[in-house]
Amino acid sequence: MKKVVANAEEALHDIHDGAIIMLGGFGLCGIPENSIAALRKKGIKQLTCISNNAGVDNFGLGLLLQTKQIKKMMSSYVGENEEFERQLLSGELEVDLIPQGTLATRIQMAGMGIPAFFTPAGYGTEIAEGKEVREFNGKKYLMEHALHADFAIVKAWKGDPLGNLVFRKTTRNFSTSMARAGRVTIAEVEQLVQPGQLDPDQVHVPGIYVHRIFEGTNYEIRIERRTVRMSS
């Protein structure tokens, strides 16, 4: 199956209004910038976005919040985005805040074909409302369901035409699990190399999980919160 496509627009051609999308990255590190820009240009509405965070006001998923293309965010950290806060408080945006470890595990379980699991995180809080609770060894646990998506969009450091992906350091967070959890997985890469150029021992996501891949352009290196001196 030919997996290589020319650009983000071609890779995202069948994403539709109301789609559930996972977007990889950690903070502003390793986010699929070209794909987010293409989603904005495409003008798709009513999206449910599953991501560790919601970007910042002028970068990452913040760009889709500006254009009101996101109906619901499922995230664990959203503290750097004023537009997100405004839409949440005004009732314009549905938000499902999920403990970070729970979010990561729900995605991982989807990729492994495990429908649900139990975790103590969130027991006794609002997060527990409506969820099944069981006791194991005298401790209460919540049942959480695996988290699936119509599309998983990730950014890797290197990839090959077979879809094998290599990530760098923190960019691996969430992305490797998301690539396994999407019904259709789209990967943009900084470098698209020839088959055989990737060391098999360094491959983080095997190509069997990836449906489309393209080499991106004009990547920015953003710092989410720049610190130049110690705070008092």
Side-chain angles (χ1 to χ4, degrees), residues 15-16 18-23 48-51 74 106-107 110-111 146-153 177-186 211:
I15 297 184
H16 50 82
I20 301 173
I21 304 176
M22 289 179 177
L23 297 110
T48 295
C49 291
I50 302 166
S51 175
M74 302 181 72
R106 290 180 67 183
I107 296 167
L147 196 55
H148 299 269
D150 301 318
F151 297 89
I153 306 174
S177 296
M178 286 182 174
R180 294 171 169 86
R183 183 177 59 82
V184 174
T185 294
I186 298 165
H211 300 85

Side-chain angles (χ1 to χ4, degrees), residues 51-230:
S51 175
N52 171 63
N53 76 311
V56 293
D57 286 307
N58 297 302
F59 193 62
L61 286 178
L63 296 173
L64 299 184
L65 287 169
Q66 285 179 346
T67 50
K68 309 288 184 67
Q69 291 174 252
I70 300 176
K71 176 187 73 172
K72 181 176 182 179
M73 280 296 311
M74 302 181 72
S75 301
S76 58
Y77 177 72
V78 293
E80 303 292 339
N81 194 313
E82 292 182 4
E83 178 60 16
F84 176 97
E85 180 183 6
R86 190 197 66 76
Q87 290 187 25
L88 170 63
L89 294 177
S90 67
E92 299 172 44
L93 179 69
E94 297 177 45
V95 177
D96 188 357
L97 287 176
I98 306 169
Q100 189 160 261
T102 301
L103 177 63
T105 306
R106 290 180 67 183
I107 296 167
Q108 183 182 20
M109 293 299 101
M112 296 173 65
I114 298 173
F117 63 98
F118 285 91
T119 174
Y123 174 74
T125 72
E126 292 183 8
I127 291 173
E129 292 181 6
K131 295 178 180 176
E132 181 178 341
V133 177
R134 290 193 188 181
E135 183 175 315
F136 297 93
N137 300 317
K139 189 172 183 177
K140 302 287 188 179
Y141 291 77
L142 302 179
M143 186 172 76
E144 296 282 0
H145 291 89
L147 196 55
H148 299 269
D150 301 318
F151 297 89
I153 306 174
V154 300
K155 175 192 171 188
W157 177 40
K158 292 182 180 180
D160 67 19
L162 302 176
N164 298 305
L165 304 178
V166 178
F167 295 81
R168 292 197 69 213
K169 302 180 180 180
T170 307
T171 65
R172 204 178 313 170
N173 289 0
F174 288 95
S175 293
T176 54
S177 296
M178 286 182 174
R180 294 171 169 86
R183 183 177 59 82
V184 174
T185 294
I186 298 165
E188 58 177 86
V189 297
E190 294 183 34
Q191 300 176 47
L192 187 61
V193 302
Q194 292 304 307
Q197 287 188 257
L198 297 179
D199 180 350
D201 287 335
Q202 301 301 316
V203 170
H204 299 121
V205 174
I208 192 172
Y209 293 105
V210 178
H211 300 85
R212 300 167 200 159
I213 187 169
F214 68 94
E215 186 172 82
T217 59
N218 301 319
Y219 288 116
E220 297 184 47
I221 299 177
R222 290 280 192 112
I223 297 174
E224 192 167 359
R225 183 183 289 273
R226 187 184 300 274
T227 302
V228 295
R229 63 174 61 88
M230 295 294 291

